[in-house]
């Protein structure tokens, strides 16, 4: 077992336009990337749970050239709407930081 | 033309760059300089209010150096999404700065100013013809909503830039444009591979963002050839690696394999990234799929005026019953608003009671909602039709919050610590994004107007 924070070189979230937000999890090397990718922990269901949306709404990508796992979801509010909590959506990845990834 | 070189000095006009880095990149004799001037990242205010994210002096400094460099090298300077949102007010604000720079520096040149805020009647006609389509997700749209928007801009492709350059403009100030069009316009015009041209543009639009460690905003130099492009950071202390460049296709973008542009989609499935040396990266194999021509629309509508109150709570007895305390407080505030304005006001204002130290950042999505810090920040915000109403609500709300009782303390308590006097802060008008749609124009130029001005 290892926490995602000890495996990733970057975990971040950001607007992808005012109507979507995207989470990038970047790894420093291929073995670590493959480990986390193959663990299946970073699933559409997990991301859907974080944002309380249906799994079909989650776009999940494995982007091998950058050793990156990426997930995009509709924003919880349109950017800047009256119930906005995070205009840039920069702090919406926190639940992933201590996610436990099963060892190999 | 076998090779085209171009510079992106920074990710956004006003964010700054190292002048030495620009000089270094200019030594490569680039064919043009491009720079993005805007972003929707900080919300709908820039478009709604016509106010840019970065300050005038900061933008003026960047523009002065870039115009000077373009004139010295006799190359064009292309600036997209001027003034933050690219609306007419934002664009003319930028033009005002450019005029002032020309006057102060004794610069003379031909400029093109490209308006991207078409007449509303044009958009309504397109809507009636079914030529405005929603993207996913999109807010509902009808004629009334479209007519009532404060500002609607069309995000231009490469064609308006190309037309401006064909007509001899040396400095092109564009309204809202796709970030990539700024950098794809000249390469596509000269017949370079569109996949490579658009991919290079996607990397360049953020300046030096695709380096391994962008410790300060700075620039990127691109060399585009028939079957490859090479990226080199303008700052000698920065490095591109295959991974850092590949990773940039993820940034601020929902899908790393497909990036939609007005004329089609950039496909990165087959792109390869290869180190040329320690600092430079070669990219090959990017594709471009032509699609029916569409232009993205962005719109902002005023939501009202806002007033806020910020305070802290440290008393452990209050914190021990925070949910009940806040629920009681909210009820009291609602009743007070009823008593001041009458029941007619119900549904015409919006109140938030936010708790930092509990769920301020993630709201209802916070899984650790029950874990409270030893102190919390309380943020009350009120949105109403006019500033005076919002202010009245915040003033009453703040006062009620300050003295809202708990059973354990007998007598009048002061349960909130305000860091500011006065503790009510009027935030002025606030806006909402109200469009995530595309329009199908008759021609790529149809919604845009190019105005040539000589300085």
């Amino acid at each position: 077992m290892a926490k995602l924070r000890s495996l990733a070189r970057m975990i971040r979230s950001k607007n992808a336009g005012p109507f979507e937000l995207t989470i990038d999890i970047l790894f420093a090397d291929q073995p670590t990337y493959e480990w986390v990718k193959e663990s299946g922990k970073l699933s559409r269901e997990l991301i859907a749970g974080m944002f309380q949306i249906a799994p079909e709404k989650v776009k999940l990508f494995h982007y091998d050239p950058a050793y990156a796992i990426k997930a995009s979801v509709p924003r919880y509010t349109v950017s800047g709407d009256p119930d906005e909590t995070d205009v840039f959506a920069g702090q919406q990845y926190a639940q992933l930081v201590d996610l436990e990834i099963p060892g190999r | 033309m076998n090779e085209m070189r171009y510079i992106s000095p920074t990710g956004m006009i006003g964010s700054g760059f190292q002048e030495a880095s620009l000089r270094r990149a200019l030594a490569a004799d680039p064919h043009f300089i491009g720079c993005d001037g805007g972003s929707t990242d900080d919300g709908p205010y820039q478009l709604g209010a016509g106010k840019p994210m970065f300050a005038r002096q900061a933008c003026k400094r960047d523009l002065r150096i870039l115009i000077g460099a373009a004139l010295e090298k006799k190359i064009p300077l292309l600036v997209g999404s001027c003034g933050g949102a690219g609306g007419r007010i934002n664009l003319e604000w930028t033009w005002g700065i450019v005029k002032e720079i020309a006057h102060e520096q004794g610069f003379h040149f031909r400029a093109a100013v490209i308006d991207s805020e078409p007449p509303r009647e044009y958009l309504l006609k397109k809507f009636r013809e079914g030529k405005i389509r929603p993207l996913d997700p999109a807010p509902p749209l009808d004629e009334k909503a479209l007519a009532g928007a404060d500002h609607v801009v069309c995000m231009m492709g490469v064609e308006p830039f190309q037309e401006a350059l064909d007509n001899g403009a040396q400095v092109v100030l564009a309204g809202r444009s796709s970030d990539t069009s700024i950098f794809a316009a000249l390469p596509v015009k000269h017949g370079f591979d569109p996949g490579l041209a658009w991919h290079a543009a996607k990397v360049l639009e953020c300046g030096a963002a695709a380096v391994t460690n962008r410790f300060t905003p700075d620039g990127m130099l691109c060399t585009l050839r028939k079957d490859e492009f090479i990226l080199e950071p303008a700052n000698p202390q920065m490095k591109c690696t295959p991974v850092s460049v590949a990773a940039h296709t993820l940034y601020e973008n929902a899908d790393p394999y497909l990036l939609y542009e007005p004329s089609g989609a950039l496909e990165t499935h087959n792109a390869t990234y290869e180190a040329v040396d320690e600092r430079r990266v070669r990219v090959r194999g990017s594709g471009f799929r032509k699609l029916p021509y569409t232009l993205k629309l962005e719109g902002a509508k005023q939501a009202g005026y806002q007033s806020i109150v910020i305070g802290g709570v440290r008393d452990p007895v209050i914190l021990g019953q925070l949910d009940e305390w806040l629920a009681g407080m909210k009820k009291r505030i609602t009743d007070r608003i009823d008593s001041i304005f009458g029941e007619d006001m119900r549904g015409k204002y919006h109140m938030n009671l936010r708790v930092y130290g509990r769920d301020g950042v993630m709201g209802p999505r916070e899984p650790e909602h029950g874990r409270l810090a030893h102190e919390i920040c309380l943020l009350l915000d009120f949105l109403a039709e006019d500033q005076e109403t919002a202010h009245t609500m915040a003033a009453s709300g703040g006062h009620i919050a300050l003295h809202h009782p708990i059973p354990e303390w007998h007598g009048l308590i002061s349960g909130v610590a305000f860091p500011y006097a006065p503790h009510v802060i009027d935030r002025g008008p606030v806006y909402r994004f109200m469009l995530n749609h595309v329009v199908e124009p008759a021609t790529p130029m149809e919604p845009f107007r190019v105005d040539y001005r000589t300085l």
Side-chain angles (χ1 to χ4, degrees):
Chain A
M1 292 283 258
K3 285 190 192 311
L4 192 57
R5 68 159 90 191
S6 67
L7 301 176
R9 71 174 170 91
M10 168 72 91
I11 309 174
R12 69 185 177 198
S13 61
K14 184 88 191 274
N15 291 342
F19 295 85
E20 286 180 281
L21 76 83
T22 191
I23 292 176
D24 298 339
I25 302 146
L26 305 164
F27 300 91
D29 57 70
Q30 190 166 5
T32 314
Y33 164 63
E34 296 289 347
W35 168 10
V36 178
K37 179 178 158 184
E38 281 160 25
S39 80
K41 280 289 278 187
L42 283 164
S43 63
R44 292 168 69 167
E45 287 71 24
L46 178 97
I47 304 292
M50 282 171 63
F51 292 96
Q52 300 165 9
I53 57 173
E56 307 85 74
K57 294 272 183 197
V58 179
K59 296 178 205 161
L60 185 71
F61 304 97
H62 296 109
Y63 193 57
D64 297 352
Y67 310 144
I69 300 173
K70 182 177 182 71
S72 300
V73 296
R75 266 176 132 279
Y76 38 89
T77 67
V78 178
S79 171
D81 266 10
D83 289 324
E84 178 65 272
T85 60
D86 186 354
V87 174
F88 288 69
Q91 280 292 298
Q92 302 303 316
Y93 61 85
Q95 282 162 270
L96 296 173
V97 173
D98 287 330
L99 184 73
E100 295 279 3
I101 306 296
R104 26 166 61 168
Chain B
M1 187 181 271
N2 297 321
E3 181 178 293
M4 185 173 262
R5 295 172 300 280
Y6 38 106
I7 310 175
S8 169
T10 184
M12 187 168 161
I13 293 281
S15 68
F17 52 85
Q18 305 291 312
E19 205 167 343
S21 301
L22 179 70
R23 304 269 11 140
R24 194 176 165 280
L26 287 171
D29 281 330
H31 295 84
F32 73 95
I33 303 171
C35 198
D36 186 15
S39 172
T40 54
D41 262 353
D42 74 327
Y45 186 76
Q46 297 192 92
L47 180 59
K51 300 254 172 77
M53 182 164 111
F54 287 118
R56 193 176 195 281
Q57 279 301 105
C59 294
K60 188 176 172 184
R61 179 267 182 192
D62 290 356
L63 284 166
R64 174 176 56 77
I65 294 169
L66 296 179
I67 294 170
L71 296 180
E72 177 194 320
K73 288 295 212 179
K74 300 187 168 58
I75 54 173
L77 168 66
L78 311 181
V79 183
S81 302
C82 281
R88 187 168 303 131
I89 302 171
N90 310 74
L91 181 63
E92 292 301 334
W93 178 86
T94 308
W95 170 247
I97 298 174
V98 168
K99 254 193 334 192
E100 192 175 289
I101 292 168
H103 179 74
E104 287 171 6
Q105 306 289 324
F107 290 159
H108 297 283
F109 53 87
R110 182 169 159 85
V113 179
I114 310 174
D115 190 295
S116 65
E117 204 174 329
R120 198 60 52 86
E121 201 41 55
Y122 166 79
L123 293 172
L124 286 166
K125 186 167 164 283
K126 286 286 178 193
F127 185 79
R128 284 181 212 120
E129 290 169 0
K131 295 203 165 157
I132 291 181
R133 297 189 273 112
L135 299 172
D136 182 32
L141 184 68
D142 55 23
E143 278 194 39
K144 191 169 167 245
L146 188 57
D150 290 311
H151 295 283
V152 178
V153 286
C154 280
M155 199 186 279
M156 70 185 76
V158 293
E159 295 79 3
F161 287 102
Q162 292 170 342
E163 182 174 309
L165 294 169
D166 285 344
N167 286 303
Q170 189 167 14
V171 173
V172 181
L173 302 178
R176 186 63 170 132
S177 46
S178 90
D179 300 348
T180 41
S181 294
I182 307 162
F183 299 98
L186 263 175
V188 167
K189 180 173 134 68
H190 283 272
F192 284 92
D193 179 80
L196 292 172
W198 285 104
H199 193 170
K202 167 62 191 161
V203 180
L204 282 192
E205 57 102 349
C206 279
V211 303
T212 52
N213 178 14
R214 203 218 66 166
F215 49 85
T216 182
D218 218 335
M220 187 78 86
L221 172 68
C222 177
T223 304
L224 176 64
R225 299 190 185 113
K226 199 166 160 270
D227 57 355
E228 65 180 26
F229 66 89
I230 291 171
L231 297 161
E232 177 181 356
N235 186 319
Q237 290 173 281
M238 292 183 186
K239 291 176 182 172
C240 281
T241 65
V243 170
S244 78
V245 172
H248 190 71
T249 54
L250 304 166
Y251 191 62
E252 293 179 332
N253 182 42
D255 185 334
Y257 293 109
L258 265 183
L259 294 93
Y260 288 95
E261 300 296 342
S263 54
L266 162 64
E267 296 182 317
T268 65
H269 300 86
N270 300 318
T272 60
Y273 307 85
E274 173 197 354
V276 176
D277 54 31
E278 276 211 325
R279 300 182 58 248
R280 293 186 296 163
V281 167
R282 172 184 291 121
V283 181
R284 287 184 165 144
S286 325
F288 191 79
R289 192 200 308 168
K290 227 172 162 212
L291 293 169
Y293 202 94
T294 57
L295 294 166
K296 197 157 178 259
L297 297 173
E298 286 171 352
K301 162 89 180 149
Q302 194 177 324
Y305 290 79
Q306 199 173 48
S307 294
I308 67 170
V309 175
I310 302 170
V313 180
R314 180 65 179 81
D315 180 346
V317 188
I318 299 177
L319 293 177
Q321 55 192 299
L322 188 66
D323 287 342
E324 298 82 359
W325 187 65
L326 292 174
M329 179 193 298
K330 195 164 183 178
K331 169 90 174 53
R332 286 281 190 89
I333 294 171
T334 308
D335 290 348
R336 180 69 182 132
I337 290 172
D338 273 358
S339 77
I340 296 170
F341 296 100
E343 291 183 7
D344 284 355
M345 184 56 80
R346 289 183 189 174
K348 290 183 186 160
Y349 69 97
H350 189 80
M351 164 170 56
N352 271 317
L353 234 164
R354 303 167 190 258
V355 179
Y356 284 88
R358 186 185 69 181
D359 58 358
V361 172
M362 297 179 65
R365 300 171 306 288
E366 175 55 72
E368 297 188 46
H369 185 274
R371 217 176 78 192
L372 215 55
H374 69 276
E375 67 174 18
I376 56 139
C377 174
L378 203 58
L379 175 56
L380 280 68
D381 57 61
F382 298 85
L383 179 67
E385 270 178 20
D386 57 76
Q387 190 71 71
E388 196 181 331
T389 305
H391 184 96
T392 304
M393 292 174 177
S396 292
H399 186 251
I400 288 166
L402 175 64
H403 297 305
H404 190 63
I406 51 170
E408 288 80 353
W409 300 134
H410 303 276
L412 187 66
I413 75 163
S414 295
V416 182
F418 298 125
Y420 303 121
H423 58 265
V424 176
I425 302 165
D426 292 336
R427 293 218 325 110
V430 296
Y431 297 83
R432 301 180 77 160
F433 280 122
M434 39 76 67
L435 283 172
N436 193 29
H437 294 69
V438 291
V439 62
E440 296 167 30
T443 71
M445 288 302 297
E446 189 182 51
F448 307 108
R449 209 189 66 238
V450 189
D451 188 23
Y452 298 93
R453 303 174 188 179
T454 303
L455 288 169

mmCIF file of all heavy atoms in Angstrom, chain B residues 119-130 132 142-148:
data_model
loop_
_atom_site.group_PDB
_atom_site.id
_atom_site.type_symbol
_atom_site.label_atom_id
_atom_site.label_comp_id
_atom_site.label_asym_id
_atom_site.label_seq_id
_atom_site.Cartn_x
_atom_site.Cartn_y
_atom_site.Cartn_z
ATOM 1 N N PRO B 119 -23.382 42.074 -33.403
ATOM 2 C CA PRO B 119 -24.680 42.634 -33.015
ATOM 3 C C PRO B 119 -25.584 41.516 -32.500
ATOM 4 O O PRO B 119 -25.579 40.411 -33.044
ATOM 5 C CB PRO B 119 -25.233 43.211 -34.324
ATOM 6 C CG PRO B 119 -24.054 43.373 -35.215
ATOM 7 C CD PRO B 119 -23.044 42.354 -34.796
ATOM 8 N N ARG B 120 -26.362 41.805 -31.471
ATOM 9 C CA ARG B 120 -27.211 40.771 -30.873
ATOM 10 C C ARG B 120 -28.221 40.231 -31.876
ATOM 11 O O ARG B 120 -28.594 39.064 -31.852
ATOM 12 C CB ARG B 120 -27.914 41.328 -29.635
ATOM 13 C CG ARG B 120 -28.457 40.259 -28.695
ATOM 14 C CD ARG B 120 -27.352 39.353 -28.159
ATOM 15 N NE ARG B 120 -26.251 40.088 -27.566
ATOM 16 C CZ ARG B 120 -26.208 40.506 -26.317
ATOM 17 N NH1 ARG B 120 -27.209 40.235 -25.512
ATOM 18 N NH2 ARG B 120 -25.164 41.152 -25.853
ATOM 19 N N GLU B 121 -28.648 41.120 -32.796
ATOM 20 C CA GLU B 121 -29.628 40.700 -33.811
ATOM 21 C C GLU B 121 -29.076 39.558 -34.667
ATOM 22 O O GLU B 121 -29.796 38.635 -35.038
ATOM 23 C CB GLU B 121 -30.019 41.924 -34.677
ATOM 24 C CG GLU B 121 -31.336 41.778 -35.388
ATOM 25 C CD GLU B 121 -32.445 41.122 -34.543
ATOM 26 O OE1 GLU B 121 -32.761 41.600 -33.430
ATOM 27 O OE2 GLU B 121 -32.976 40.097 -35.025
ATOM 28 N N TYR B 122 -27.772 39.612 -34.946
ATOM 29 C CA TYR B 122 -27.116 38.541 -35.713
ATOM 30 C C TYR B 122 -27.246 37.209 -34.974
ATOM 31 O O TYR B 122 -27.617 36.181 -35.558
ATOM 32 C CB TYR B 122 -25.636 38.898 -35.927
ATOM 33 C CG TYR B 122 -24.791 37.741 -36.407
ATOM 34 C CD1 TYR B 122 -24.802 37.353 -37.744
ATOM 35 C CD2 TYR B 122 -23.983 37.024 -35.517
ATOM 36 C CE1 TYR B 122 -24.036 36.279 -38.182
ATOM 37 C CE2 TYR B 122 -23.214 35.950 -35.947
ATOM 38 C CZ TYR B 122 -23.245 35.583 -37.275
ATOM 39 O OH TYR B 122 -22.490 34.516 -37.710
ATOM 40 N N LEU B 123 -26.981 37.236 -33.673
ATOM 41 C CA LEU B 123 -27.025 36.001 -32.891
ATOM 42 C C LEU B 123 -28.462 35.491 -32.753
ATOM 43 O O LEU B 123 -28.714 34.287 -32.816
ATOM 44 C CB LEU B 123 -26.411 36.225 -31.511
ATOM 45 C CG LEU B 123 -24.903 36.514 -31.515
ATOM 46 C CD1 LEU B 123 -24.433 36.921 -30.130
ATOM 47 C CD2 LEU B 123 -24.105 35.304 -32.005
ATOM 48 N N LEU B 124 -29.388 36.416 -32.584
ATOM 49 C CA LEU B 124 -30.794 36.008 -32.467
ATOM 50 C C LEU B 124 -31.269 35.344 -33.763
ATOM 51 O O LEU B 124 -31.988 34.349 -33.740
ATOM 52 C CB LEU B 124 -31.664 37.222 -32.124
ATOM 53 C CG LEU B 124 -31.519 37.712 -30.673
ATOM 54 C CD1 LEU B 124 -32.125 39.099 -30.496
ATOM 55 C CD2 LEU B 124 -32.161 36.723 -29.693
ATOM 56 N N LYS B 125 -30.823 35.898 -34.889
ATOM 57 C CA LYS B 125 -31.174 35.326 -36.181
ATOM 58 C C LYS B 125 -30.602 33.903 -36.293
ATOM 59 O O LYS B 125 -31.304 32.973 -36.694
ATOM 60 C CB LYS B 125 -30.620 36.230 -37.287
ATOM 61 C CG LYS B 125 -31.016 35.847 -38.685
ATOM 62 C CD LYS B 125 -30.686 36.981 -39.663
ATOM 63 C CE LYS B 125 -30.705 36.512 -41.111
ATOM 64 N NZ LYS B 125 -29.507 35.742 -41.512
ATOM 65 N N LYS B 126 -29.362 33.750 -35.895
ATOM 66 C CA LYS B 126 -28.723 32.430 -35.927
ATOM 67 C C LYS B 126 -29.469 31.456 -35.017
ATOM 68 O O LYS B 126 -29.641 30.285 -35.347
ATOM 69 C CB LYS B 126 -27.260 32.542 -35.466
ATOM 70 C CG LYS B 126 -26.361 33.178 -36.494
ATOM 71 C CD LYS B 126 -26.096 32.206 -37.629
ATOM 72 C CE LYS B 126 -25.235 32.828 -38.707
ATOM 73 N NZ LYS B 126 -25.229 32.001 -39.932
ATOM 74 N N PHE B 127 -29.900 31.952 -33.891
ATOM 75 C CA PHE B 127 -30.629 31.105 -32.940
ATOM 76 C C PHE B 127 -31.946 30.627 -33.554
ATOM 77 O O PHE B 127 -32.286 29.450 -33.497
ATOM 78 C CB PHE B 127 -30.873 31.873 -31.634
ATOM 79 C CG PHE B 127 -31.506 31.032 -30.561
ATOM 80 C CD1 PHE B 127 -30.742 30.142 -29.818
ATOM 81 C CD2 PHE B 127 -32.873 31.112 -30.303
ATOM 82 C CE1 PHE B 127 -31.315 29.350 -28.828
ATOM 83 C CE2 PHE B 127 -33.456 30.325 -29.315
ATOM 84 C CZ PHE B 127 -32.677 29.443 -28.580
ATOM 85 N N ARG B 128 -32.654 31.571 -34.172
ATOM 86 C CA ARG B 128 -33.932 31.225 -34.812
ATOM 87 C C ARG B 128 -33.733 30.227 -35.946
ATOM 88 O O ARG B 128 -34.588 29.390 -36.210
ATOM 89 C CB ARG B 128 -34.614 32.496 -35.350
ATOM 90 C CG ARG B 128 -35.243 33.331 -34.245
ATOM 91 C CD ARG B 128 -35.929 34.566 -34.813
ATOM 92 N NE ARG B 128 -35.842 35.647 -33.855
ATOM 93 C CZ ARG B 128 -35.262 36.821 -34.073
ATOM 94 N NH1 ARG B 128 -34.727 37.095 -35.253
ATOM 95 N NH2 ARG B 128 -35.227 37.737 -33.128
ATOM 96 N N GLU B 129 -32.589 30.324 -36.620
ATOM 97 C CA GLU B 129 -32.301 29.404 -37.738
ATOM 98 C C GLU B 129 -31.770 28.047 -37.255
ATOM 99 O O GLU B 129 -31.416 27.200 -38.076
ATOM 100 C CB GLU B 129 -31.263 30.042 -38.673
ATOM 101 C CG GLU B 129 -31.807 31.226 -39.454
ATOM 102 C CD GLU B 129 -30.692 32.016 -40.164
ATOM 103 O OE1 GLU B 129 -29.502 31.635 -40.048
ATOM 104 O OE2 GLU B 129 -31.023 33.013 -40.816
ATOM 105 N N GLY B 130 -31.668 27.904 -35.924
ATOM 106 C CA GLY B 130 -31.144 26.642 -35.375
ATOM 107 C C GLY B 130 -29.651 26.500 -35.551
ATOM 108 O O GLY B 130 -29.114 25.390 -35.522
ATOM 109 N N ILE B 132 -27.363 27.893 -33.585
ATOM 110 C CA ILE B 132 -26.652 27.958 -32.304
ATOM 111 C C ILE B 132 -26.983 26.671 -31.561
ATOM 112 O O ILE B 132 -28.151 26.364 -31.328
ATOM 113 C CB ILE B 132 -27.057 29.205 -31.498
ATOM 114 C CG1 ILE B 132 -26.512 30.448 -32.201
ATOM 115 C CG2 ILE B 132 -26.531 29.129 -30.061
ATOM 116 C CD1 ILE B 132 -26.802 31.759 -31.503
ATOM 117 N N ASP B 142 -32.828 30.446 -24.424
ATOM 118 C CA ASP B 142 -33.926 30.824 -25.308
ATOM 119 C C ASP B 142 -33.661 32.240 -25.816
ATOM 120 O O ASP B 142 -32.668 32.861 -25.440
ATOM 121 C CB ASP B 142 -35.287 30.724 -24.589
ATOM 122 C CG ASP B 142 -35.331 31.537 -23.301
ATOM 123 O OD1 ASP B 142 -34.533 32.503 -23.170
ATOM 124 O OD2 ASP B 142 -36.136 31.217 -22.419
ATOM 125 N N GLU B 143 -34.543 32.722 -26.679
ATOM 126 C CA GLU B 143 -34.313 34.047 -27.289
ATOM 127 C C GLU B 143 -34.211 35.143 -26.240
ATOM 128 O O GLU B 143 -33.404 36.064 -26.358
ATOM 129 C CB GLU B 143 -35.452 34.375 -28.262
ATOM 130 C CG GLU B 143 -35.261 33.730 -29.607
ATOM 131 C CD GLU B 143 -36.189 34.333 -30.653
ATOM 132 O OE1 GLU B 143 -36.396 35.574 -30.643
ATOM 133 O OE2 GLU B 143 -36.702 33.565 -31.478
ATOM 134 N N LYS B 144 -35.042 35.022 -25.200
ATOM 135 C CA LYS B 144 -35.071 36.058 -24.172
ATOM 136 C C LYS B 144 -33.728 36.113 -23.439
ATOM 137 O O LYS B 144 -33.171 37.193 -23.202
ATOM 138 C CB LYS B 144 -36.213 35.739 -23.196
ATOM 139 C CG LYS B 144 -36.513 36.866 -22.242
ATOM 140 C CD LYS B 144 -37.815 36.621 -21.470
ATOM 141 C CE LYS B 144 -37.909 37.596 -20.320
ATOM 142 N NZ LYS B 144 -37.869 36.959 -19.014
ATOM 143 N N ALA B 145 -33.198 34.925 -23.102
ATOM 144 C CA ALA B 145 -31.917 34.870 -22.391
ATOM 145 C C ALA B 145 -30.799 35.428 -23.273
ATOM 146 O O ALA B 145 -29.941 36.193 -22.822
ATOM 147 C CB ALA B 145 -31.611 33.439 -21.973
ATOM 148 N N LEU B 146 -30.836 35.057 -24.553
ATOM 149 C CA LEU B 146 -29.803 35.526 -25.474
ATOM 150 C C LEU B 146 -29.890 37.046 -25.644
ATOM 151 O O LEU B 146 -28.871 37.747 -25.635
ATOM 152 C CB LEU B 146 -29.964 34.810 -26.821
ATOM 153 C CG LEU B 146 -28.875 35.022 -27.864
ATOM 154 C CD1 LEU B 146 -27.510 34.622 -27.334
ATOM 155 C CD2 LEU B 146 -29.189 34.221 -29.127
ATOM 156 N N ALA B 147 -31.112 37.534 -25.764
ATOM 157 C CA ALA B 147 -31.298 38.979 -25.933
ATOM 158 C C ALA B 147 -30.876 39.736 -24.663
ATOM 159 O O ALA B 147 -30.399 40.863 -24.732
ATOM 160 C CB ALA B 147 -32.757 39.286 -26.270
ATOM 161 N N GLY B 148 -31.047 39.096 -23.514
ATOM 162 C CA GLY B 148 -30.796 39.775 -22.249
ATOM 163 C C GLY B 148 -29.360 39.719 -21.751
ATOM 164 O O GLY B 148 -29.033 40.322 -20.724
#
